[in-house]
Amino acid sequence: MTAALVMENTNWDSALSKLLNSLQESKSEIPSCTDEEFGFLSELLQSKELNALVNVHNKILNNVKDDKFFPVLSNSMDIDIEVLDLLSTKTHISKDCKELFHLLQKPHIQGLLCAHDAVAQKDYYPRLPEIPLEVDEDEETVKIVQLVKSNEPLGATIKTCEVTGKIVIARIMHGGAADRSGLIHVGDEVCEVNGISVEGKTPNCVLKILQNSEGTITFKIVPADSKGGIRESKVRVRAHFSYKAAEDPYIPCKEAGLDFSKNDVLHIVSQDDAYWWQARREGDRNMRAGLIPSRALQETRIILERQQKEKTDDDNIKNDDFDREEILTYEEVAKLYPRPGHYRPVVLIGPPGVGRNELKRRLIATDPDKYKTPVPYTSRPRKPGEINGVEYHFVTRKKMEEYIEYGKLIEYGEYKGNLYGTSSESVSSLINAGYVCLLNSHYQALKMLRTPQTKPYVIYIKPPKFEILKETRNDVRARSTFDESNSRGFTDEEFHEILYNAARIEFLYNHMFDEVIVNADLSMAFEQLVNAVHRVESEPLWVPASWVQ
Ligand SMILES: Nc1ncnc2c1ncn2[C@@H]1O[C@H](COP(=O)(O)OP(=O)(O)OP(=O)(O)O)[C@@H](O)[C@H]1O
């Protein structure tokens, strides 16, 4: 294509055409320019993309002139994440949902939305004024640092140094404004803020000065000896408790706190402080880290809480609940990537009668060549119609005890005086043969199953509240699983027993669940199970870090 051709196109930007013409005219006058370089530049100036970009730029300029151009929102990235959250469970509904779900995750779409938000929030305003030249001569080590105050906090905390009594930087939050500037470091001594000396002032007074300043904030700082960038740790943990900084009376700075919910995965970026770690919620676009209680601090809090509770304890959890001794704070996790043809076993946990068999049966029916369940062993007597090796392998109690003693069973438990269990061999042979192995083990077996070798995906099947449990089961004349000798519906007592057992399982094993499905409407619960199993087959998922190493 030549310049003349370009100019024939009436939509072509005239400035670009001019530039291209000049380039061609002056080619011979720039001998240092190689053919390749010249070709690249002239191709660029003739590209449709650049022309379109310049047109967009011109249009924006025209709009700005008329004062018509303003952003409608400044949180498009938050909206993108919200929409992704909503879509994540609905991708099966239609091809469009699936396509949108993938589109909104594309890095260039997200990059565009982030850039849009930064512009909409005027993140680049105001321009930094020139740094004043007249710095006290006798203060060679003094540094003037200017930061732009935007909507986000500064990302640094201050304290009075116990030794010198001066105001010093106590903490820099990872990814916050101060950290990103790279100009302020822990231990730096603050002499002035916006020209106001902070000598003799309390951290609270300094905070007030900061809060009252607009635009840029100028710090006069004596840098600490040891600077160096902050190294980010790569540790990810799953939180086993929820946290709200605003409700924590001991956090050094409430605004610097990071709220999280139980089961959130957190990226711990700094464990330098014994009591307060810095963390980000995994998947959060906000790169600013926040303060969370360290493992040691949280453990101490739990122990104190328990001691206080024990004094007034009136809960009815039985004494054999050995797990109560466990102090759950954070569990280190890592992503486990799916291996094609080698699937993690899916374990359905729940109170007897909640519907695990029904869900498992339905799943196997969708593809019996893919989903399999091992035939368990039991010491319970065979009932009429049952075939050995089909429903169960029927063996004596003595044999079961031998199996347990010799470690032949991957999981076992006792229910109503009979032993039940699954052999390790039957599970591993299904997994090695490329099937998705489904287990609905007794909850007591969870600890045995949750090992780096087995790597189970644990789904807790939860009953809905009493009224709904009763209504949904009675509507379809569900058969009680409590009375093996008689086919009849569930009684109210049995519904209460399901709920009692559910509360107990949740109390003891909640931290081992990868997912919870409430089995109210059967078809909805089944749909969730299908989605969950699909995720296990196809997505990298968080597991205890020891399973991955
Ligand atoms: N969401 C539901 N709505 C209505 N009925 C249900 C629902 N889920 C299960 N059922 C019915 O409840 C009864 C008990 O279910 P199921 O046998 O699957 O329970 P289970 O948890 O496997 O019990 P167990 O572990 O004691 O064998 C069955 O008749 C089943 O069809």
Side-chain angles (χ1 to χ4, degrees):
M1 199 188 333
T2 64
L5 265 175
V6 168
M7 282 189 293
E8 274 167 27
N9 184 336
T10 45
N11 278 335
W12 215 266
D13 181 75
S14 59
L16 277 182
S17 304
K18 245 195 225 165
L19 216 59
L20 187 61
N21 277 337
S22 323
L23 181 72
Q24 285 176 338
E25 280 161 19
S26 51
K27 186 184 174 194
S28 54
E29 288 160 36
I30 324 168
S32 58
C33 181
T34 65
D35 278 354
E36 197 186 329
E37 286 165 339
F38 178 82
F40 169 77
L41 202 53
S42 69
E43 226 169 77
L44 183 72
L45 291 172
Q46 293 171 69
S47 69
K48 269 192 201 156
E49 290 81 4
L50 183 64
N51 185 63
L53 216 58
V54 172
N55 276 336
V56 170
H57 172 259
N58 292 342
K59 284 196 178 130
I60 291 174
L61 276 190
N62 286 339
N63 272 306
V64 171
K65 260 185 227 144
D66 298 345
D67 219 11
K68 274 192 248 153
F69 186 70
F70 59 91
V72 181
L73 48 84
S74 61
N75 63 336
S76 60
M77 196 56 216
D78 293 342
I79 295 173
D80 181 71
I81 290 170
E82 248 175 66
V83 175
L84 279 173
D85 252 5
L86 286 172
L87 284 177
S88 63
T89 52
K90 309 218 161 17
T91 49
H92 58 281
I93 292 178
S94 75
K95 255 176 73 188
D96 291 347
C97 272
K98 201 168 177 174
E99 193 182 344
L100 185 62
F101 185 64
H102 289 303
L103 204 65
L104 292 177
Q105 286 182 79
K106 294 229 164 172
H108 53 268
I109 296 280
Q110 297 199 340
L112 188 70
L113 296 178
C114 280
H116 166 273
D117 291 348
V119 175
Q121 287 167 16
K122 300 199 171 163
D123 235 4
Y124 50 89
Y125 269 143
R127 276 188 204 293
L128 287 175
E130 290 300 307
I131 291 180
L133 288 172
E134 63 305 339
V135 174
D136 294 358
E137 250 107 68
D138 55 336
E139 290 179 27
E140 280 164 43
T141 49
V142 165
K143 192 162 88 172
I144 304 290
V145 173
Q146 287 184 319
L147 297 180
V148 176
K149 194 176 176 193
S150 62
N151 293 342
E152 69 167 310
L154 197 57
T157 61
I158 48 173
K159 64 173 183 186
T160 309
C161 171
E162 294 105 14
V163 185
T164 61
K166 308 258 168 114
I167 295 286
V168 291
I169 303 290
R171 198 189 308 271
I172 298 285
M173 308 307 296
H174 276 264
D179 182 28
R180 290 201 308 272
S181 79
L183 300 170
I184 298 184
H185 303 93
V186 171
D188 285 355
E189 183 189 316
V190 183
C191 309
E192 285 179 12
V193 176
N194 284 350
I196 305 168
S197 166
V198 301
E199 202 176 339
K201 289 198 166 47
T202 63
N204 265 344
C205 286
V206 180
L207 216 61
K208 285 215 174 81
I209 305 177
L210 286 170
Q211 280 162 355
N212 291 335
S213 16
E214 294 280 328
T216 53
I217 304 178
T218 308
F219 293 92
K220 194 190 266 188
I221 274 172
V222 178
D225 298 338
S226 56
K227 280 167 231 133
I230 317 172
R231 277 195 158 269
E232 257 195 24
S233 100
K234 293 206 181 331
V235 176
R236 305 290 198 282
V237 296
R238 184 181 294 285
H240 287 308
F241 62 102
S242 300
Y243 180 70
K244 269 205 165 58
E247 289 165 13
D248 186 345
Y250 300 106
I251 188 163
C253 169
K254 286 197 195 309
E255 291 72 27
L258 176 80
D259 292 352
F260 57 83
S261 306
K262 191 172 176 164
N263 277 331
D264 278 354
V265 173
L266 306 172
H267 177 181
I268 309 293
V269 291
S270 163
Q271 296 178 323
D272 293 345
D273 191 301
Y275 298 112
W276 297 99
W277 288 351
Q278 292 186 28
R280 282 194 283 268
R281 262 196 313 267
E282 190 64 27
D284 241 358
R285 305 287 138 171
N286 188 349
M287 288 304 284
R288 197 173 65 241
L291 290 184
I292 61 168
S294 70
R295 187 192 301 277
L297 174 59
Q298 188 59 22
E299 279 177 2
T300 314
R301 286 177 168 183
I302 294 175
I303 291 168
L304 284 174
E305 213 173 87
R306 277 190 194 174
Q307 284 168 350
Q308 274 163 5
K309 201 169 165 249
E310 259 160 34
K311 285 187 201 147
T312 54
D313 207 359
D314 60 347
D315 72 45
N316 52 4
I317 303 296
K318 289 181 199 154
N319 290 334
D320 62 354
D321 296 334
F322 51 92
D323 288 271
R324 284 188 77 198
E325 295 311 315
E326 241 178 289
I327 299 177
L328 295 167
T329 53
Y330 303 108
E331 181 182 29
E332 196 174 336
V333 289
K335 274 208 168 148
L336 179 69
Y337 285 81
R339 280 168 60 191
H342 197 272
Y343 304 110
R344 292 170 66 187
V346 173
V347 180
L348 304 183
I349 290 292
V354 73
R356 291 177 300 153
N357 267 309
E358 181 71 51
L359 289 166
K360 189 175 79 172
R361 199 177 51 70
R362 285 181 180 224
L363 188 60
I364 294 174
T366 62
D367 192 347
D369 292 332
K370 180 169 178 186
Y371 302 109
K372 299 261 182 215
T373 187
V375 178
Y377 286 80
T378 182
S379 64
R380 107 159 144 62
R382 180 150 40 123
K383 283 191 252 168
E386 284 182 334
I387 302 166
N388 191 17
V390 175
E391 288 85 4
Y392 289 98
H393 294 294
F394 295 98
V395 293
T396 60
R397 187 174 180 99
K398 191 161 169 284
K399 195 94 197 137
M400 281 292 279
E401 283 166 353
E402 256 175 50
Y403 288 164
I404 294 168
E405 196 183 330
Y406 293 119
K408 190 174 150 77
L409 304 183
I410 194 171
E411 57 93 16
Y412 57 85
E414 188 159 356
Y415 183 59
K416 292 193 174 165
N418 296 309
L419 288 169
Y420 292 81
T422 310
S423 81
S424 315
E425 199 274 326
S426 63
V427 173
S428 54
S429 63
L430 287 182
I431 295 172
N432 292 336
Y435 296 114
V436 179
C437 175
L438 305 174
L439 294 164
N440 38 358
S441 315
H442 191 280
Y443 56 83
Q444 281 166 0
L446 253 189
K447 266 196 157 179
M448 289 176 243
L449 279 171
R450 217 168 160 264
T451 63
Q453 291 75 38
T454 311
K455 298 185 180 63
Y457 187 81
V458 179
I459 303 179
Y460 171 54
I461 308 296
K462 184 182 166 92
K465 59 180 190 187
F466 180 83
E467 295 74 24
I468 299 177
L469 182 65
K470 184 172 172 175
E471 189 187 319
T472 49
R473 273 52 180 183
N474 287 348
D475 277 357
V476 295
R477 297 166 158 269
R479 299 293 84 197
S480 165
T481 53
F482 288 77
D483 188 353
E484 284 164 353
S485 56
N486 195 359
S487 174
R488 58 161 175 82
F490 288 96
T491 63
D492 278 7
E493 287 68 36
E494 287 168 348
F495 287 134
H496 281 301
E497 193 170 335
I498 293 177
L499 290 167
Y500 172 80
N501 283 329
R504 189 172 158 73
I505 295 172
E506 283 168 43
F507 175 77
L508 291 172
Y509 299 106
N510 173 293
H511 58 287
M512 297 188 185
F513 304 157
D514 289 293
E515 188 158 343
V516 177
I517 295 178
V518 179
N519 187 15
D521 177 82
L522 186 55
S523 55
M524 271 170 68
F526 179 65
E527 190 184 312
Q528 281 179 48
L529 177 65
V530 170
N531 286 336
V533 174
H534 180 69
R535 262 199 304 282
V536 180
E537 289 165 30
S538 57
E539 283 178 25
L541 299 169
W542 294 105
V543 296
S546 60
W547 296 9
V548 177
Q549 280 140 19

